[in-house]
Amino acid sequence: MTGHFSDSLIDEITKSLSLNEQVILFQNRRGFSPIVECMTCGHVPQCIQCDVSLTFHKSKNQLRCHYCGYSISNPTHCHSCSSVHLSTKGFGTEQIQQELNALFPNSKIGRMDQDTTRGKFGFDKIIDAFKNREIDILVGTQMLAKGLDFDNVTLVGIMNADNMLYHPDFRAFERSFQMLTQVAGRSGRSEKQGKVIIQTYNPAHNTIQQVTRNDYVGMYKEQIHERQLYHYPPFYRLIKLTLKHRDYEKLKQGSVWLNEVLLQNLKLPVLGPEEPSISRVRNEYIRTILIKIPQEQSLLVIKKTIQKILDSFESVSQFRAIKVAVNVDFY
C-alpha cells in the first residue's frame, strides 16, 4: 500500500489517466480522519454534547462533531496528559484527496462531500466541472453513488468496503451490497469498458463476493434465510420506540417501566431497553425498544395497545418530559 492505495489501484488510475479517461473514488466518510489519538495515554477528543469522537478536518484545522456541529481548533497537545505525540486514525475523503495530490501531481482532483457541496450550487458546480472534464479524479461519499451518468468514467475505486459491512443493523449487508453495486454502476456507462476495484481486508466476505459476481439472487437468498431465522422483516413487522431525555437516570427508569408494561400486555418479543451505538446526541441520552410482530398477528390491534400504553406512560408525571418517537417498519 502507498498510503491508502494498493498498487493495483494506482496502476489502474495511471492507465485511465494516460488514456484521458476519468476516475471516481468512493470513501463513505468525510473529513480528514475520524479519530485523533494521543500516542502516550490513548486519549481521543470527544464531543461535549454527543457520545462520539471528533472528526479532524484539515482544511479548517479543526475537530468537528458530525452529529451536532460542535467544533474545536485542532489541538497541539493532548488534553488529558499534555503529550505532543498525537496521531490520526482512519481516513476520510479529505485525506484521500491529499494523497492523490501527492501521487498524481499533474492531475486535477475534485472532492464531493457535505463540506464541499454546502454552498449554493456547490453540488452542481462540481458535477458540471466533472462533466466538462475539468476534473480528472473525483473523490466522494455516497453522494456519488446514485443517478450520476458520466460517459468518460472507466474506473471506479472503492477505498474501504469494510466500514459499511459492520454496522449494528440487520440490513447492513443488504445496504452494503446496494451501495457498492450503485457506486460500481458509475463506471463504463457508454461504449468504453468500465472497471471497478474494491479495496477490502475481507475479500472472501460473502457480500463482497456477491458484489463482484453481481449475484443479487445469492445475496437475497442468504439474507432472507437469516431474516427468517432471527425474526426480522419481511417475516416479522418491527416497531421501534426511541426514548430521549437529558437526565440519564430518569430515562433509564422510564424506559424500563415502558418495556415491562409492553412485555406484560403484548405477549410478543420486546427487545430492550437498549442503548444504541451512539447513546447521546445533543446532550440527550437515548434508549430504544424494539417490538417484533409475527405476520399472522393483527397489526391494528397491536398498534392500538401500544398507543394506549404510550398514553398511560405520558400520564405518569415523572416520565412526561421523556420524548418518545415511534417508528413503524423503519427503513
Side-chain angles (χ1 to χ4, degrees):
M1 301 284 281
T2 306
H4 294 98
F5 290 82
S6 60
D7 290 345
S8 47
L9 182 54
I10 292 172
D11 291 344
E12 290 298 336
I13 293 173
T14 308
K15 207 181 287 178
S16 294
L17 294 175
S18 67
L19 295 168
N20 287 323
E21 292 164 353
Q22 290 167 293
V23 179
I24 284 177
L25 296 177
F26 173 75
Q27 167 61 3
N28 207 14
R29 183 172 269 153
R30 65 191 171 101
F32 186 87
S33 174
I35 290 171
V36 174
E37 185 181 32
C38 171
M39 301 305 286
T40 307
C41 73
H43 173 74
V44 174
Q46 301 277 318
C47 175
I48 56 167
Q49 301 182 113
C50 313
D51 274 343
V52 289
S53 60
L54 296 171
T55 301
F56 175 41
H57 287 254
K58 196 167 189 176
S59 57
K60 294 194 172 170
N61 198 34
Q62 61 177 208
L63 304 183
R64 197 184 308 156
C65 172
H66 285 178
Y67 284 82
C68 70
Y70 167 79
S71 64
I72 57 171
S73 60
N74 185 33
T76 52
H77 60 274
C78 173
H79 293 158
S80 180
C81 72
S82 300
S83 164
V84 291
H85 302 294
L86 303 177
S87 168
T88 58
K89 296 277 168 77
F91 63 102
T93 47
E94 215 178 3
Q95 194 169 151
I96 296 300
Q97 186 183 24
Q98 182 180 299
E99 288 182 6
L100 283 168
N101 285 325
L103 288 166
F104 304 99
N106 301 322
S107 301
K108 296 184 192 75
I109 319 292
R111 175 161 58 93
M112 191 160 107
D113 54 29
Q114 235 177 304
D115 300 325
T116 58
T117 56
R118 199 162 268 155
K120 203 177 181 187
F121 309 121
F123 182 82
D124 298 330
K125 278 179 192 165
I126 295 166
I127 293 295
D128 291 344
F130 195 58
K131 259 196 177 126
N132 299 333
R133 304 189 185 181
E134 294 160 25
I135 294 171
D136 301 313
I137 305 172
L138 184 60
V139 186
T141 54
Q142 62 190 37
M143 285 182 176
L144 287 173
K146 297 178 185 128
L148 299 178
D149 188 6
F150 306 111
D151 57 3
N152 196 39
V153 173
T154 54
L155 177 67
V156 165
I158 293 161
M159 299 304 298
N160 181 5
D162 303 314
N163 66 357
M164 288 182 285
L165 291 171
Y166 300 114
H167 280 284
D169 175 13
F170 73 94
R171 289 193 182 91
F173 291 163
E174 178 196 355
R175 284 184 174 154
S176 299
F177 181 92
Q178 185 181 30
M179 180 66 72
L180 294 172
T181 305
Q182 283 176 335
V183 175
R186 300 310 103 209
S187 175
R189 293 182 69 84
S190 62
E191 303 85 51
K192 295 174 184 174
Q193 175 77 41
K195 190 173 261 191
V196 182
I197 290 189
I198 300 174
Q199 293 193 153
T200 170
Y201 291 105
N202 302 287
H205 192 288
N206 275 0
T207 304
I208 302 288
Q209 287 295 318
Q210 287 153 1
V211 171
T212 55
R213 295 194 305 267
N214 203 17
D215 181 13
Y216 172 80
V217 174
M219 185 276 295
Y220 169 80
K221 283 179 179 169
E222 184 189 3
Q223 292 307 309
I224 211 79
H225 172 69
E226 292 203 350
R227 304 267 178 101
Q228 191 166 15
L229 207 59
Y230 299 112
H231 297 174
Y232 279 112
F235 304 100
Y236 275 63
R237 310 290 296 272
L238 297 183
I239 294 180
K240 184 182 183 184
L241 305 177
T242 305
L243 291 83
K244 295 181 182 179
H245 198 276
R246 284 173 170 256
D247 185 325
Y248 179 79
E249 283 304 320
K250 195 169 276 188
L251 176 71
K252 194 175 167 184
Q253 282 172 7
S255 58
V256 168
W257 184 94
L258 183 58
N259 192 63
E260 282 173 359
V261 176
L262 285 165
L263 270 171
Q264 285 163 13
N265 287 275
L266 289 176
K267 308 287 186 285
L268 288 172
V270 178
L271 308 182
E274 190 61 61
E275 287 188 0
S277 51
I278 293 157
S279 58
R280 183 175 61 110
V281 173
R282 292 188 169 90
N283 278 328
E284 285 187 318
Y285 292 96
I286 305 166
R287 287 274 177 119
T288 58
I289 295 170
L290 194 62
I291 302 159
K292 292 185 173 183
I293 306 158
Q295 286 283 21
E296 64 272 10
Q297 296 246 15
S298 163
L299 204 59
L300 198 65
V301 173
I302 289 161
K303 279 182 179 178
K304 279 182 177 168
T305 309
I306 292 170
Q307 192 55 60
K308 275 182 189 166
I309 294 167
L310 289 175
D311 290 342
S312 59
F313 178 75
E314 210 173 298
S315 65
V316 180
S317 58
Q318 70 204 75
F319 302 149
R320 198 165 293 148
I322 297 174
K323 294 180 199 162
V324 183
V326 182
N327 201 335
V328 180
D329 283 337
F330 56 98
Y331 282 93

